[in-house]
Amino acid sequence: MKWITAIIKPFTLDDVREALSEAGVQGMTVTEVKGFGRQHGHTELYRGAEYVVDFLPKLKIEVAVADDRLEHAIEAISTAARTGKIGDGKIFVGELEQAIRIRTQELDADAL
């Protein structure tokens, strides 16, 4: 099993959710986060005053997938979240040692 963490632009969430559903991924957790990458934020003008926006609003998606669904999930996220502009986000993949469904006590892939 794998644990996917993706950081995406907020307006791409519906497309990513739909693409993951079509890829056979059931369930996800979404968190509103702020951060910056290579772009290091940007400057904006408000009422004639310039100010720096250091942290940009993003969404963090967390998904647990079976090993055989990993490539489908990565492709779904990267295709749906890609705008071709700076700040599209990142996808991180890590090992998931164990998963347990609390209600039924199912383990690992059965719990997903």
Side-chain angles (χ1 to χ4, degrees):
M1 295 178 304
K2 303 291 187 214
W3 185 253
I4 300 173
T5 302
I7 308 297
I8 63 170
K9 290 182 174 182
F11 66 86
T12 63
L13 177 61
D14 288 337
D15 293 336
V16 170
R17 183 184 50 79
E18 187 176 313
L20 282 172
S21 180
E22 290 173 6
V25 175
Q26 298 178 2
M28 67 166 49
T29 300
V30 178
T31 309
E32 292 181 6
V33 296
K34 291 182 183 242
F36 67 89
R38 290 183 181 164
Q39 58 196 126
H40 297 284
H42 62 278
T43 59
E44 290 188 3
L45 199 59
Y46 180 72
R47 293 188 177 184
E50 190 175 279
Y51 65 99
V52 176
V53 178
D54 289 328
F55 295 98
L56 302 172
K58 301 287 184 176
L59 293 179
K60 178 168 76 170
I61 297 174
E62 296 174 296
V63 182
V65 296
D67 289 332
D68 63 334
R69 298 272 80 193
L70 178 64
E71 292 305 318
H72 297 290
I74 291 172
E75 181 66 25
I77 294 168
S78 62
T79 300
R82 184 180 302 124
T83 66
K85 297 181 179 154
I86 192 165
D88 275 349
K90 299 264 191 305
I91 300 172
F92 306 99
V93 179
E95 288 292 327
L96 180 58
E97 291 183 27
Q98 189 174 30
I100 303 164
R101 185 185 311 265
I102 295 172
R103 179 178 56 87
T104 61
Q105 296 300 300
E106 292 171 295
L107 297 174
D108 300 332
D110 293 333
L112 301 180

